[in-house]
Amino acid sequence: MLKSLQSDILHEAESKDLKVIVISAEGPVFSSGHDLKELTDEQGPDYHAEVFRTCSEVMMLIQNHPVPIIAMVNGLATAAGCQLVASCDIAVASDKSSFATPGVNIGLFCSSPGVALGRAVPRKVALKMLFTGEPISAQEALLHGLLSKVVPEEQLEEETMKIAKKIASLSRVVVSLGKASFYKQLPQDLRTAYYLTSQTMVDNIALPDGQEGIKAFIQKRKPVWSH
Amino acid sequence: MLKSLQSDILHEAESKDLKVIVISAEGPVFSSGHDLKELTDEQGPDYHAEVFRTCSEVMMLIQNHPVPIIAMVNGLATAAGCQLVASCDIAVASDKSSFATPGVNIGLFCSSPGVALGRAVPRKVALKMLFTGEPISAQEALLHGLLSKVVPEEQLEEETMKIAKKIASLSRVVVSLGKASFYKQLPQDLRTAYYLTSQTMVDNIALPDGQEGIKAFIQKRKPVWSH
Amino acid sequence: MLKSLQSDILHEAESKDLKVIVISAEGPVFSSGHDLKELTDEQGPDYHAEVFRTCSEVMMLIQNHPVPIIAMVNGLATAAGCQLVASCDIAVASDKSSFATPGVNIGLFCSSPGVALGRAVPRKVALKMLFTGEPISAQEALLHGLLSKVVPEEQLEEETMKIAKKIASLSRVVVSLGKASFYKQLPQDLRTAYYLTSQTMVDNIALPDGQEGIKAFIQKRKPVWSH
């Protein structure tokens, strides 16, 4: 599943026609994470290491990907499934969804989901989830920063597609530059972050789509992107 | 406008009489950021670089300034205007205010506003704003950490001045020491942060206003600050 | 008080029988921080330095401790008392509780409480508390990430014990590994964080309780922990 997700995310990643990716699931569970049958002592530590390396690569791929990646969640997202939601750039969920890191119940602490969760929500929220394994509701997830938006189930696809279509209407090269810049500056000290992004702004203006956008705005017409 | 703001913020910055700064605007827009006519290819990359360097310097000046700086927002704050709100120490807004980073609509991603925004709100909130350009309400901004307080429009000045007057009644030198210490320790690891602030606490006690405050408390009287 | 707290927290810290610690108080004040009589110029800077060094050590000890530490708050928590709440892994409070860092009122800025507060809540919330000294309610504290849960006063002990008992029912060695891993990865860059936690996951699976938990889940029975 992780390799299939990785290959799907990478599919035509560099194509000008790809503007945004939506990750969703069928059925009442968004994702419940790893298949525990792959994690017994029969496979051994080398296989386990490969499983978690692949999982980490998929999560980092989402941040390093040139287009925004949206999680559309309708149901339960647990363990690495909760990590997947936390790793996406944007996450929209139906109000019946819930989120948990329950590994501790089966003696396998959700340490790597904690990487994404700990960067999305306050640590007191993350640690209560990690130490008790108990779920939080979509509303709590929104309140604490794990989600970008919560909607009734019947509006989930419409609202998610509204965001996706908005992104798809923009200049791909500008969105891509902005995404890379955001994640690059975030862990830096303030001076370095401003140094990096000031350069990004100048580079952005010099792009054909940067000039086209500004000209169109001044001329009060719609921009025509070359991407 | 940026140079005028910079010079206003620096005006008598070292004077004992300056205790707090409030940044506000007239009319329905707090600030909509850069003048796009300064960012066309007619000025060229060197001029653009100077614009963003000046902008970054103003934003960093706010954090490095000896007194607290409060944004009082009544209306729309977008792009570098939203960055200005996010960069202030405290932000109070009327409930009709809204906040957006809409640069992506005109092909100029709000990369440098993302520095301040990404340090104020959860990244899922920041990225939805940056990727879609759509505004959030004052209530959402409060919920996610971009604002310190939201009040009805008719109470905005009163509530902001209440905070400003409270700060102005305190010891300037103590507030100044505390502000510098807060921003210095925040990006450090926990051990370094505690090492730095333990020293700040000892230095603070040794100040005349540190001793006066403690003595006044023990003697159950009002402190008289020498600043 | 700090030395007594330190010694209590360290008491049988390595015992297999210790699974979780709850810090609570009697009376209407959870903790109002330092005794100001210890901070006058009569004791001198060396004594002050020792006080803050001890305080910082207690706060760091909470994070470095092998079992989860829960603050159960019923009343006022101010200055180093607010820092203590912010430093615990989980914090549950009654709805009548409130939280403040009022040192600035007596000329002693809450710089070291700001270390814990600044890592628990958004900086605009932290700075308003630090600059004005004014309290926030339990609901505001929950909203901004300082608390994990807020309940009516009469349910405080029951709800806190529910969380504590849940943690006590889990494998101590797994919880301990997970806690250490969470705090270790949090300040790292994403790649390092995933590198560290992928190794933690593999180590966790290799533990007897890791294998027991996974086997019990597959066999649809309750796990029996060896801790």
Side-chain angles (χ1 to χ4, degrees):
Chain A
M1 173 61 93
L2 280 167
K3 295 218 161 155
S4 153
L5 189 57
Q6 190 171 34
S7 131
D8 281 354
I9 292 173
L10 284 171
H11 182 68
E12 299 200 8
E14 299 308 325
S15 161
K16 266 191 183 183
D17 293 333
L18 182 74
K19 303 277 173 50
V20 61
I21 292 174
V22 177
I23 298 178
S24 66
E26 285 182 12
V29 175
F30 176 76
S31 166
S32 54
H34 292 282
D35 181 350
L36 292 178
K37 286 175 190 152
E38 288 191 6
L39 301 178
T40 61
D41 50 10
E42 282 163 43
Q43 289 86 12
D46 287 352
Y47 183 75
H48 302 156
E50 197 202 317
V51 167
F52 292 111
R53 194 164 47 235
T54 307
C55 180
S56 299
E57 274 165 18
V58 170
M59 302 302 164
M60 285 187 282
L61 173 60
I62 292 174
Q63 281 202 13
N64 296 330
H65 198 280
V67 307
I69 300 185
I70 305 174
M72 178 171 84
V73 185
N74 187 24
L76 190 64
T78 62
C82 182
Q83 180 183 8
L84 180 57
V85 176
S87 298
C88 286
D89 301 310
I90 291 175
V92 187
S94 69
D95 51 12
K96 71 164 206 188
S97 301
S98 61
F99 303 86
T101 46
V104 77
N105 288 325
I106 56 144
L108 182 54
F109 201 92
C110 283
S111 292
S112 46
V115 172
L117 190 66
R119 282 158 179 75
V121 304
R123 66 181 69 182
K124 284 223 166 21
V125 175
L127 283 171
K128 182 165 170 285
M129 290 176 71
L130 291 164
F131 282 146
T132 67
E134 276 154 32
I136 61 169
S137 69
Q139 278 302 335
E140 288 172 299
L142 176 69
L143 186 75
H144 297 304
L146 183 57
L147 297 174
S148 312
K149 188 162 195 160
V150 172
V151 292
E153 189 181 359
E154 60 275 17
Q155 294 168 26
L156 178 61
E157 195 161 336
E158 186 193 332
E159 286 296 322
T160 309
M161 290 315 289
K162 220 168 104 180
I163 295 171
K165 279 177 183 164
K166 176 66 198 275
I167 293 171
S169 79
L170 302 165
S171 163
R172 176 190 150 111
V173 67
V174 168
V175 168
S176 186
L177 189 84
K179 175 171 169 174
S181 166
F182 181 80
Y183 285 116
K184 192 172 177 189
Q185 60 80 13
L186 204 55
Q188 307 296 331
D189 67 274
L190 198 64
R191 183 158 292 278
T192 308
Y194 273 126
Y195 177 82
L196 291 172
T197 54
S198 293
Q199 191 53 50
T200 305
M201 297 299 285
V202 174
D203 294 345
N204 188 157
I205 291 175
L207 290 174
D209 279 353
Q211 280 308 313
E212 164 61 12
I214 292 168
K215 272 180 203 150
F217 180 82
I218 291 169
Q219 295 165 7
K220 294 179 185 175
R221 61 168 175 85
K222 272 205 154 190
V224 182
W225 307 124
S226 54
H227 299 294
Chain B
M1 173 61 93
L2 281 167
K3 296 220 161 152
S4 153
L5 190 56
Q6 189 171 34
S7 131
D8 282 353
I9 292 173
L10 285 171
H11 181 68
E12 300 199 8
E14 300 307 325
S15 160
K16 265 191 184 183
D17 293 334
L18 181 74
K19 303 278 173 52
V20 62
I21 292 174
V22 177
I23 298 177
S24 66
E26 284 183 13
V29 175
F30 175 76
S31 165
S32 54
H34 292 282
D35 181 351
L36 291 177
K37 287 174 189 152
E38 290 192 5
L39 302 178
T40 62
D41 50 9
E42 282 163 43
Q43 289 85 14
D46 288 352
Y47 183 75
H48 301 156
E50 196 201 317
V51 167
F52 292 111
R53 195 165 46 237
T54 307
C55 180
S56 300
E57 274 166 19
V58 170
M59 302 302 163
M60 285 188 282
L61 172 60
I62 292 174
Q63 280 203 12
N64 296 329
H65 199 280
V67 307
I69 300 185
I70 305 174
M72 178 170 84
V73 186
N74 187 24
L76 189 63
T78 63
C82 182
Q83 179 183 8
L84 180 58
V85 176
S87 298
C88 286
D89 302 310
I90 291 176
V92 187
S94 69
D95 51 12
K96 72 164 204 187
S97 300
S98 61
F99 304 85
T101 47
V104 78
N105 289 326
I106 56 145
L108 182 55
F109 202 92
C110 282
S111 292
S112 46
V115 172
L117 190 65
R119 283 158 178 75
V121 304
R123 67 181 70 184
K124 284 222 165 22
V125 175
L127 283 171
K128 182 165 171 285
M129 290 176 70
L130 291 164
F131 282 145
T132 67
E134 276 154 32
I136 62 168
S137 68
Q139 278 301 335
E140 289 172 299
L142 176 68
L143 187 75
H144 296 303
L146 183 58
L147 297 174
S148 313
K149 188 161 196 163
V150 173
V151 293
E153 188 181 0
E154 61 274 17
Q155 294 167 26
L156 178 62
E157 194 161 336
E158 185 192 333
E159 286 295 323
T160 309
M161 291 314 289
K162 220 169 104 180
I163 295 171
K165 279 177 184 165
K166 176 65 199 273
I167 293 171
S169 78
L170 302 166
S171 163
R172 177 189 149 110
V173 66
V174 168
V175 168
S176 187
L177 188 86
K179 176 171 169 175
S181 166
F182 182 79
Y183 285 117
K184 192 171 178 192
Q185 59 80 12
L186 205 55
Q188 308 294 331
D189 68 273
L190 198 63
R191 183 158 292 278
T192 308
Y194 273 126
Y195 177 82
L196 291 171
T197 53
S198 292
Q199 190 54 49
T200 306
M201 297 298 287
V202 174
D203 294 345
N204 188 157
I205 291 175
L207 291 173
D209 279 354
Q211 280 308 314
E212 165 61 11
I214 292 168
K215 271 181 206 148
F217 180 82
I218 291 170
Q219 295 166 7
K220 294 179 183 174
R221 61 169 175 84
K222 273 204 153 192
V224 182
W225 307 124
S226 54
H227 300 294
Chain C
M1 172 61 93
L2 280 167
K3 296 220 161 154
S4 152
L5 189 56
Q6 190 172 34
S7 131
D8 281 354
I9 291 173
L10 285 171
H11 182 67
E12 299 200 6
E14 299 307 325
S15 160
K16 266 192 183 183
D17 293 334
L18 182 74
K19 304 278 173 50
V20 61
I21 292 173
V22 177
I23 298 178
S24 66
E26 284 181 14
V29 175
F30 176 75
S31 166
S32 54
H34 291 282
D35 181 351
L36 291 177
K37 287 176 190 151
E38 290 192 6
L39 302 178
T40 62
D41 50 9
E42 283 163 43
Q43 290 85 15
D46 288 352
Y47 183 76
H48 301 157
E50 196 201 317
V51 166
F52 292 111
R53 194 164 47 236
T54 307
C55 180
S56 299
E57 274 166 18
V58 169
M59 301 302 164
M60 286 188 280
L61 173 62
I62 291 174
Q63 280 202 13
N64 296 329
H65 198 279
V67 307
I69 300 185
I70 305 173
M72 178 170 85
V73 185
N74 187 25
L76 189 65
T78 62
C82 182
Q83 179 184 9
L84 179 59
V85 175
S87 298
C88 286
D89 302 309
I90 291 175
V92 187
S94 69
D95 51 13
K96 72 163 204 187
S97 301
S98 61
F99 303 86
T101 46
V104 79
N105 288 325
I106 55 145
L108 181 56
F109 202 91
C110 282
S111 292
S112 46
V115 172
L117 190 66
R119 283 157 178 76
V121 306
R123 68 181 69 183
K124 283 224 166 21
V125 175
L127 283 171
K128 183 165 171 285
M129 290 175 70
L130 291 164
F131 282 146
T132 67
E134 276 155 32
I136 61 168
S137 69
Q139 278 302 334
E140 289 172 298
L142 176 68
L143 187 75
H144 297 305
L146 182 58
L147 297 174
S148 313
K149 188 161 196 162
V150 172
V151 293
E153 188 180 0
E154 60 274 18
Q155 293 167 27
L156 178 61
E157 194 161 337
E158 185 192 334
E159 285 297 321
T160 309
M161 291 314 289
K162 220 169 104 179
I163 295 171
K165 279 177 182 164
K166 175 65 199 273
I167 293 171
S169 79
L170 301 166
S171 164
R172 175 188 152 112
V173 66
V174 168
V175 168
S176 186
L177 188 85
K179 176 171 170 175
S181 167
F182 182 79
Y183 285 115
K184 192 171 178 189
Q185 60 79 14
L186 205 55
Q188 307 295 330
D189 68 273
L190 198 63
R191 183 157 294 277
T192 308
Y194 273 127
Y195 177 82
L196 290 172
T197 53
S198 292
Q199 190 54 49
T200 306
M201 296 300 284
V202 174
D203 294 346
N204 188 157
I205 292 175
L207 290 174
D209 279 352
Q211 280 307 314
E212 165 61 10
I214 293 168
K215 272 181 204 149
F217 180 81
I218 292 170
Q219 294 166 7
K220 295 178 184 176
R221 61 168 175 85
K222 274 206 152 188
V224 182
W225 307 122
S226 55
H227 300 294

